[in-house]
């Protein structure tokens, strides 16, 4: 069975840090671009950060460029999103995704596989 299982969301104060995890089952991340999207209630889904299909380069949205980092542990078949200096506007549901378009922006396509999402709330 093909699955992406996310964890690590929660409540954090502004300026704090959080690391999200996304573990793949039933397939390997090898050869696939992987990354993260987010969506807040009443807002459109937006691409956050991704790793190219050779896992050698990254793309990040301007709003998170200097604060978020995507990485992968191949042995664990798990991708991470390290979020630092969190702001209230980062509050959203975060989704990991595999097999996407990463490089000149971040886009999904018909074959993109999605995680279930994990909620991040940034509040004092």
């Amino acid at each position: 069975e093909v699955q992406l299982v996310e964890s690590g969301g929660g409540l954090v104060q502004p300026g704090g840090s959080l690391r999200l995890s996304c573990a793949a089952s039933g397939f390997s991340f090898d050869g696939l671009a992987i990354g993260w999207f987010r969506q807040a209630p009443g807002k459109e889904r937006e691409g956050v950060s991704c790793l190219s299909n050779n896992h050698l380069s990254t793309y990040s949205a301007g709003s998170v460029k200097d604060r978020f980092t995507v990485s992968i542990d191949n042995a664990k078949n798990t991708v991470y999103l390290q979020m630092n200096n969190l702001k209230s506007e980062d509050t959203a549901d975060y989704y990991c995704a595999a097999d996407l378009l990463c490089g000149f922006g971040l886009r999904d396509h018909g074959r993109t596989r999605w995680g279930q999402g994990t909620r991040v709330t940034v509040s004092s």
Side-chain angles (χ1 to χ4, degrees):
E1 180 182 4
V2 174
Q3 280 190 308
L4 290 171
V5 180
E6 293 181 279
S7 62
L11 176 65
V12 64
Q13 293 185 341
S17 298
L18 205 61
R19 188 178 73 163
L20 307 183
S21 299
C22 178
S25 298
F27 72 102
S28 174
F29 283 132
D30 290 349
L32 300 177
I34 55 177
W36 297 84
F37 295 79
R38 68 184 182 185
Q39 186 170 26
K43 297 182 179 179
E44 295 183 353
R45 185 186 66 190
E46 63 175 338
V48 177
S49 187
C50 60
L51 193 63
S52 64
N53 58 10
N54 61 11
H55 302 171
L56 295 178
S57 60
T58 61
Y59 166 85
S60 293
S63 59
V64 307
K65 183 179 179 180
D66 298 323
R67 301 184 295 118
F68 291 10
T69 303
V70 64
S71 62
I72 188 169
D73 184 332
N74 289 302
K76 296 181 179 179
N77 209 26
T78 299
V79 63
Y80 304 94
L81 183 67
Q82 178 66 47
M83 304 184 293
N84 297 325
N85 299 316
L86 284 160
K87 305 174 180 180
S88 60
E89 51 263 45
D90 295 318
T91 296
D93 291 332
Y94 284 73
Y95 300 87
C96 67
D99 195 355
L100 43 78
L101 303 175
C102 176
F104 298 96
L106 173 53
R107 294 283 303 277
D108 63 321
H109 56 70
R111 297 183 303 279
T112 299
R113 300 170 178 176
W114 294 91
Q116 298 299 306
T118 185
R119 181 160 293 180
V120 173
T121 303
V122 184
S123 177
S124 60

